[in-house]
Amino acid sequence: MEKISRVWRHIQRTLFPFLDQEVGPLSEQEKKLASVLELVGVEDFLPGRWWGRGRPESDRRALAQGFVAKKVYNLATTSELIDRLLAEPTMRLLCGWEFEWEIPSESTFSRAFEEFAEMGLAERAHEALIREYEGERLVGHLSRDATDVAAREKAAAKSADPAPKPGKRGRPKKGEDRPEREPSRLEKQPEMTLDQMLGDLPVECDWGTKGKAGRKHYWRGYKLHVDWADGEVPVSAILTSASVHDSQAAIPLMVMSASRVENLYDLMDAGYDAEAIRAYSRSLGHIPIIDVRPRGGEKAEWEPAVKRRYDERTTAERGFSMLKESFGCRAVRVRGAKKVKSELMFGLLALAAVRLLNLLL
């Protein structure tokens, strides 16, 4: 909190008076944008500019700040962002363009976004933000959940390999030689590195389904898995295919989050009800609180204190709602896993900055 306080004091005492003098009084939305841009410093993660022969490229620092502004202003498309930049001089100056003619075309924005997606710009800025301002704070609860991400692209063709035949149930007969069962992904993950776990998760566009209000919800696209700290602060995120079960991303998320923050409790719904997940959470020194699926009997009742802690898991639901409704991630219009993840990570980056400032204020 002390680090955020120093940044906020700098914003209030230096940045806002300077902007008031240069461009006039700021609206509340413009103050919000200026605060977020100052806190995240996304331009610091870009390589230095270099011009060789030919026409110099558009300023990538301003373009990166423009994509952050797009999320802060809850804009769905790049064309909407360009229209706002042309119409609002203060927003344009905050992003780094002084004159209207300096604003690049939509195709330039698209090329720059592809570059940012390849280098993982938003992911790197988000990780640095969390390490800087959440790394020294003891987080009470991490609420783990996933949400659907509908995409405007074709689903990847399914593999033509035939599904393995199910083995016989029960004890083998005398003299019967059965092949050893292939370990599941959950069983293999504790012995893998983070890069190996992420590489093992499918990321192509396909079809997913989940239950919502007693009905089946189907979508074509991806699934975003996020660890949310208290206060709706996104700590880490993974993008997978829509068909990947929530539990498959639990251990990689634990590893990512454990390297960024220190927390006490891991809160998960019944989709994560697996002993491998509980054991890995305990190995990190955490206390897992996971809803239990009823198996052939009545569901066990929790103690009131445990139930109260589990109720904190609504942080994940509020976080996903804010991401989609207030930070421009309701409809994803880019294609490909890298671009889709970059689009969502710019939203999570802006959301994280806003929530960190909100914790202070």
Side-chain angles (χ1 to χ4, degrees):
M1 289 296 99
E2 179 59 31
K3 289 183 178 180
I4 303 178
S5 297
R6 287 199 298 269
V7 175
W8 181 241
R9 286 196 296 269
H10 167 73
I11 291 172
Q12 282 189 311
R13 298 175 184 178
T14 305
L15 182 61
F16 285 168
F18 171 77
L19 291 174
D20 286 342
Q21 183 178 358
E22 292 294 320
V23 302
L26 301 179
S27 66
E28 289 302 317
Q29 188 76 341
E30 289 164 348
K31 287 183 178 180
K32 181 179 178 182
L33 174 59
S35 303
V36 169
L37 291 176
E38 181 71 16
L39 187 63
V40 303
V42 67
E43 69 280 1
D44 296 336
F45 299 90
L46 289 169
R49 300 180 70 185
W50 178 84
W51 292 310
R53 294 183 178 180
R55 181 180 179 181
E57 66 177 12
S58 298
D59 188 357
R60 268 23 186 188
R61 295 162 62 92
L63 285 163
Q65 293 182 131
F67 284 116
V68 175
K70 177 183 175 183
K71 297 305 178 183
V72 173
Y73 277 68
N74 195 20
L75 304 176
T77 63
T78 303
S79 60
E80 291 181 31
L81 172 62
I82 294 174
D83 290 341
R84 292 291 291 269
L85 290 170
L86 291 171
E88 301 183 18
T90 302
M91 178 187 178
R92 185 168 66 243
L93 284 169
L94 290 175
C95 291
W97 293 291
E98 186 174 358
F99 305 105
E100 293 183 16
W101 56 265
E102 292 179 312
I103 299 174
S105 64
E106 190 170 348
S107 59
T108 302
F109 271 93
S110 179
R111 288 192 298 270
F113 183 80
E114 186 173 2
E115 294 174 15
F116 298 157
E118 285 294 331
M119 71 174 67
L121 174 64
E123 294 95 308
R124 290 163 54 195
H126 174 261
E127 180 180 355
L129 180 72
I130 296 301
R131 288 182 183 274
E132 179 70 17
Y133 298 108
E134 286 282 89
E136 297 179 4
R137 183 171 77 94
L138 181 62
V139 176
H141 311 87
L142 278 186
S143 301
R144 187 165 294 117
D145 207 351
T147 189
D148 55 290
V149 179
R152 297 186 175 185
E153 56 184 294
K154 290 184 178 180
K158 291 187 177 181
S159 174
D161 297 336
K165 295 182 179 180
K168 294 182 180 179
R169 290 186 176 183
R171 189 174 179 180
K173 297 179 181 179
K174 187 176 181 180
E176 182 182 359
D177 186 18
R178 292 186 185 177
E180 293 186 3
R181 181 179 64 85
E182 180 72 19
S184 65
R185 180 178 286 135
L186 268 179
E187 292 171 337
K188 292 187 292 185
Q189 282 179 340
E191 307 300 325
M192 301 166 70
T193 65
L194 177 60
D195 289 339
Q196 289 173 336
M197 285 188 277
L198 295 178
D200 187 49
L201 292 173
V203 294
E204 66 274 2
C205 174
D206 65 1
W207 286 92
T209 178
K210 67 190 309 182
K212 280 190 175 181
R215 297 183 179 181
K216 288 288 185 180
H217 167 62
Y218 298 89
W219 78 96
R220 182 184 63 213
Y222 303 90
K223 185 179 284 187
L224 182 66
H225 310 258
V226 182
D227 271 359
W228 299 90
D230 298 326
E232 296 85 43
V233 179
V235 172
S236 54
I238 295 174
L239 186 77
T240 67
S241 302
S243 60
V244 173
H245 194 268
D246 293 2
S247 62
Q248 307 299 295
I251 293 179
L253 277 174
M254 287 185 203
V255 176
M256 292 176 67
S257 297
S259 68
R260 301 177 185 182
V261 300
E262 184 177 354
N263 69 288
L264 300 177
Y265 294 89
D266 289 329
L267 310 181
M268 292 164 268
D269 62 20
Y272 299 88
D273 183 13
E275 186 54 38
I277 296 176
R278 288 187 175 86
Y280 201 87
S281 176
R282 295 190 189 101
S283 72
L284 295 174
H286 304 161
I287 300 177
I289 301 180
I290 306 175
D291 197 7
V292 180
R293 294 191 300 266
R295 294 179 174 90
E298 294 185 0
K299 190 173 180 179
E301 291 294 331
W302 279 335
E303 296 179 1
V306 178
K307 178 68 167 60
R308 178 66 185 88
R309 287 201 178 275
Y310 181 76
D311 290 343
E312 295 292 328
R313 204 191 65 82
T314 55
T315 295
E317 298 170 3
R318 292 193 299 271
F320 282 128
S321 177
M322 294 174 63
L323 177 67
K324 291 184 175 182
E325 301 300 334
S326 303
F327 289 87
C329 292
R330 167 59 63 185
V332 176
R333 290 174 169 81
V334 293
R335 297 180 180 180
K338 285 187 177 181
K339 289 185 179 181
V340 170
K341 184 176 182 182
S342 184
E343 180 80 8
L344 296 170
M345 288 306 302
F346 270 111
L348 285 173
L349 175 62
L351 172 57
V354 170
R355 299 309 294 167
L356 286 171
L357 290 171
N358 185 72
L359 287 176
L360 174 67
L361 302 177

